[in-house]
Amino acid sequence: MSKRNSQEAKRAARERLKIERERQARKDKIRRQAVVGGSVLAILAVAGGIGFAVANMDDGGSDKSWADAADKKLVKPANAAGKDGTIVLIGDEGAKKTIDVYEDMRCPACANFEQALGETVKKGAEDGKYKLQIHLGSIIDGNFGGDGSKNAASALGAALDVSTEAFSEYHSLLYSAEHHPPENEDKFADNDYLLKVAENVDALKDNKEFEAAVEKGTYDKWALEMIDSFNEAGVQGTPTVRIDGKDVEVSALPAELEKLGVK
């Protein structure tokens, strides 16, 4: 691909990201209104003695019990970073500048972000311009039901245990146009699907320890702890990007990266 075509593709991806964020904001507003309306209906039903029950708000997308996962022994990936081991670090931990990226693996806006800027952001960290810290949440599991956000985070923990490079490549593939499902399709709850995507990563292909960790949910509790840490960060939506603790609009990120020496 020529440089000009590459730049045009990135511009198109950034435009898709902008449109998707606006669409997601509208959907979140509608969803909040629906929750309020549902709460009113529930109150009226109880008051009228109807015995109305609200069920299946988050009925899960797989046979895995995430309540049981919370009781498992905590196993952290060998390459996990941060005080509590709930951060994925790319680059030099001693770098003066820090970029934090908060994502949800089922988030379509995050997929557009990664397709447009993910490679650039990771390369800047690898080149020593700053350290990149990736945080994963499960907002869409809560909004749509299902387990895909949590389950993908656990599988990425298994990849991180292999190496940071394996995590980075696998993370990019899961967000790729080829492999990222629509947010209302909980495909990441399916371990077979996650393992199929992983076959495209040399370090993970035919890696029996990695496969066993995904199938057994070895890093399920670690994923839950990372999600708890994400929730404590005060993030209102995904993707959220912070440079040295300050939120930066995704549309402004290319200019900010240029200031940090990333072209």
Side-chain angles (χ1 to χ4, degrees):
M1 180 181 293
S2 70
K3 183 176 181 181
R4 178 180 177 184
N5 288 340
S6 177
Q7 291 173 341
E8 289 177 352
K10 289 182 178 180
R11 279 197 297 270
R14 286 195 289 270
E15 183 61 26
R16 289 197 302 272
L17 172 59
K18 179 181 177 182
I19 293 171
E20 181 57 42
R21 284 178 68 91
E22 292 172 351
R23 184 182 73 86
Q24 188 66 41
R26 290 194 297 270
K27 289 178 66 175
D28 288 344
K29 181 178 179 181
I30 293 170
R31 194 174 296 120
R32 287 194 297 270
Q33 292 171 340
V35 169
V36 172
S39 299
V40 172
L41 287 174
I43 291 169
L44 291 174
V46 171
I50 298 173
F52 180 77
V54 178
N56 297 324
M57 290 295 289
D58 185 359
D59 59 2
S62 69
D63 295 331
K64 179 183 290 186
S65 170
W66 284 89
D68 292 343
D71 295 328
K72 284 184 176 182
K73 178 183 178 182
L74 176 62
V75 180
K76 297 180 181 180
N79 298 292
K83 181 177 66 176
D84 300 319
T86 57
I87 293 173
V88 178
L89 173 69
I90 296 177
D92 183 1
E93 188 172 8
K96 293 182 179 179
K97 307 291 288 184
T98 302
I99 293 182
D100 288 280
V101 175
Y102 296 83
E103 298 177 316
D104 184 318
M105 291 308 300
R106 289 175 69 183
C107 168
C110 296
N112 286 337
F113 167 74
E114 286 293 334
Q115 291 166 31
L117 293 170
E119 181 181 345
T120 301
V121 173
K122 286 176 179 175
K123 189 173 187 307
E126 292 164 356
D127 290 344
K129 306 297 184 182
Y130 45 80
K131 63 181 175 183
L132 171 63
Q133 299 184 150
I134 297 175
H135 313 260
L136 300 177
S138 62
I139 295 172
I140 293 179
D141 283 358
N143 287 344
F144 281 92
D147 299 329
S149 300
K150 297 185 288 289
N151 205 43
S154 178
L156 282 163
L160 182 62
D161 192 65
V162 175
S163 69
T164 302
E165 293 74 19
F167 169 93
S168 181
E169 188 175 348
Y170 189 34
H171 173 262
S172 295
L173 279 172
L174 289 173
Y175 272 132
S176 68
E178 180 180 358
H179 299 297
H180 195 268
E183 61 188 328
N184 61 341
E185 292 183 15
D186 199 21
K187 292 182 75 171
F188 288 163
D190 182 356
N191 287 337
D192 288 341
Y193 183 77
L194 293 173
L195 291 171
K196 181 178 179 180
V197 177
E199 290 176 2
N200 296 285
V201 181
D202 287 343
L204 305 181
K205 184 177 181 180
D206 297 325
N207 185 322
K208 300 305 180 184
E209 290 185 5
F210 165 77
E211 292 173 3
V214 172
E215 291 169 347
K216 294 177 181 178
T218 301
Y219 299 100
D220 284 357
K221 186 166 185 177
W222 174 80
L224 293 178
E225 292 214 347
M226 174 181 262
I227 289 165
D228 285 343
S229 177
F230 175 102
N231 292 339
E232 292 169 0
V235 173
Q236 299 302 310
T238 53
T240 289
V241 179
R242 292 174 176 167
I243 298 180
D244 292 339
K246 182 180 178 181
D247 285 12
V248 175
E249 288 293 331
V250 172
S251 59
L253 185 57
E256 293 297 325
L257 291 175
E258 285 191 15
K259 293 177 185 178
L260 297 175
V262 179
K263 297 181 180 179

